[in-house]
Amino acid sequence: RAIELGLAICPREVGPALRLAYPDQPFGEWLRVAMEEVTDSRGRRSVFRVERDGVGRWLSAPWFGPQDMWFLDAQFVFVRSRK
């Protein structure tokens, strides 16, 4: 659906750049970066998540397996397609 709306997946550097550029992220907000997955040393796939909780501001890459589902209120970050 995102592609139909003129959006595209983000380059991987968007996750770290967004974390640095978004210092007043609201408490409790989690943004998942729509991107090509990264793979850790164990072969687990993940995407960046920019979040703020009671401890601080984070850039994480939690593992997501084929059995995992997204909550309906999950927020994703895309870029506008150049096409």
Side-chain angles (χ1 to χ4, degrees):
R1 178 80 173 121
I3 293 169
E4 293 172 12
L5 295 172
L7 303 174
I9 62 172
C10 300
R12 291 181 178 151
E13 61 267 19
V14 166
L18 179 59
R19 174 66 287 149
L20 293 172
Y22 195 21
D24 12 326
Q25 181 178 14
F27 176 78
E29 182 180 70
W30 293 18
L31 302 174
R32 289 142 187 96
V33 179
M35 57 182 266
E36 292 281 337
E37 62 195 22
V38 292
T39 305
D40 71 10
S41 59
R42 294 183 181 175
R44 296 178 297 189
R45 302 173 311 198
S46 57
V47 297
F48 286 129
R49 185 171 68 193
V50 176
E51 58 189 285
R52 180 176 175 208
D53 63 15
V55 178
R57 299 178 302 129
W58 306 97
L59 173 67
S60 61
W63 177 68
F64 295 106
Q67 74 284 356
D68 293 322
M69 297 183 298
W70 301 104
F71 292 108
L72 292 176
D73 63 347
Q75 296 182 65
F76 287 85
V77 176
F78 289 88
V79 294
R80 289 182 192 243
S81 179
R82 293 183 183 192
K83 297 179 182 178

